[in-house]
Amino acid sequence: MKFVFLAISALVALVVSAPVSLIARSPPNIPDSSTAKSQLAGLRVAAQGSQTGYSRELFPHWITQSGTCNTREIVLKRDGTSVMTDSACAATSGRWFSPYDGATWTAASDVDIDHVVPLSNAWKSGAASWTTSRRQAFANDLTNPQLIAVTDDVNQAKGDQGPETWKPAVTSYYCTYAKMWIKVKSVYSLTVTTAEKSALTSMVNSC
């Protein structure tokens, strides 16, 4: 009996001391490859529109979603592991795996919520003519794969670039990233440029 107890104790110690490998939690409603290819074929190709008049303030974001929780806080809880929050819904602890670069963070301040299709890109591909209400819905969309928790520096380096000029450092994530981008553009009837469609075609073909 003593031997069994020691064996179990050793096993528990091994499990506890083993490094935790986090798996990225995916945003909702990412299409399968076949659906994504069909959606990509249905996107209208057009030259990118003007940046004139654009402002992030025209896309009200991080609105209150439930109780004291805003959109950012909801996504941090959704995409993180063992996330604890205070009475104001701010994340006080947790772990976040960034699928763009493979990094893991334990402080919410190191994590940004990326708009997969950047607000500026959306403006230049159709959102300039939207109502403020529709732009708000786009900027806070928790139903489609438009928001994802990633390393803050990586999000800032991406800026408003499309997949023709920026891709995740983790090449194995190209497929998922392309499917998310295509889904969002399809849902919101946003246009793509020729270079953008070419990049997305290559990425989704890697699935």
Side-chain angles (χ1 to χ4, degrees):
M1 181 65 73
K2 183 178 181 181
F3 174 76
V4 172
F5 175 77
L6 291 174
I8 293 175
S9 297
L11 179 60
V12 170
L14 178 63
V15 171
V16 170
S17 63
V20 177
S21 179
L22 295 184
I23 298 174
R25 297 190 175 187
S26 297
N29 294 318
I30 299 175
D32 59 36
S33 301
S34 176
T35 300
K37 290 176 181 178
S38 177
Q39 291 173 337
L40 178 58
L43 295 178
R44 186 170 71 87
V45 177
Q48 202 167 65
S50 172
Q51 181 83 347
T52 302
Y54 169 74
S55 168
R56 285 180 65 84
E57 282 63 47
L58 294 173
F59 292 78
H61 51 286
W62 306 167
I63 62 171
T64 300
Q65 293 281 356
S66 176
T68 59
C69 300
N70 65 27
T71 307
R72 170 182 163 81
E73 291 156 349
I74 293 290
V75 177
L76 283 174
K77 287 198 286 186
R78 183 197 71 191
D79 290 1
T81 300
S82 302
V83 178
M84 301 297 292
T85 59
D86 61 21
S87 60
C89 202
T92 56
S93 64
R95 290 170 67 86
W96 292 270
F97 177 80
S98 169
Y100 287 2
D101 58 335
T104 296
W105 303 98
T106 56
S109 58
D110 290 319
V111 179
D112 275 358
I113 305 305
D114 179 40
H115 287 98
V116 173
V117 174
L119 306 182
S120 174
N121 183 289
W123 177 268
K124 293 178 287 190
S125 56
S129 64
W130 292 353
T131 62
T132 299
S133 176
R134 183 161 176 77
R135 286 194 289 265
Q136 176 175 294
F138 175 82
N140 298 276
D141 190 348
L142 296 172
T143 301
N144 295 293
Q146 165 65 346
L147 301 173
I148 185 170
V150 298
T151 301
D152 55 358
D153 291 347
V154 172
N155 181 48
Q156 291 155 26
K158 171 185 170 180
D160 67 352
Q161 298 179 82
E164 69 276 21
T165 55
W166 187 92
K167 298 177 180 64
V170 177
T171 57
S172 60
Y173 200 67
Y174 281 10
C175 168
T176 301
Y177 185 78
K179 291 191 294 185
M180 293 193 298
W181 184 286
I182 291 165
K183 170 72 173 183
V184 172
K185 286 243 165 168
S186 178
V187 166
Y188 288 94
S189 299
L190 296 169
T191 61
V192 291
T193 66
T194 299
E196 181 183 350
K197 183 172 184 178
S198 177
L200 290 168
T201 299
S202 177
M203 292 168 77
V204 81
N205 281 341
S206 72
C207 294

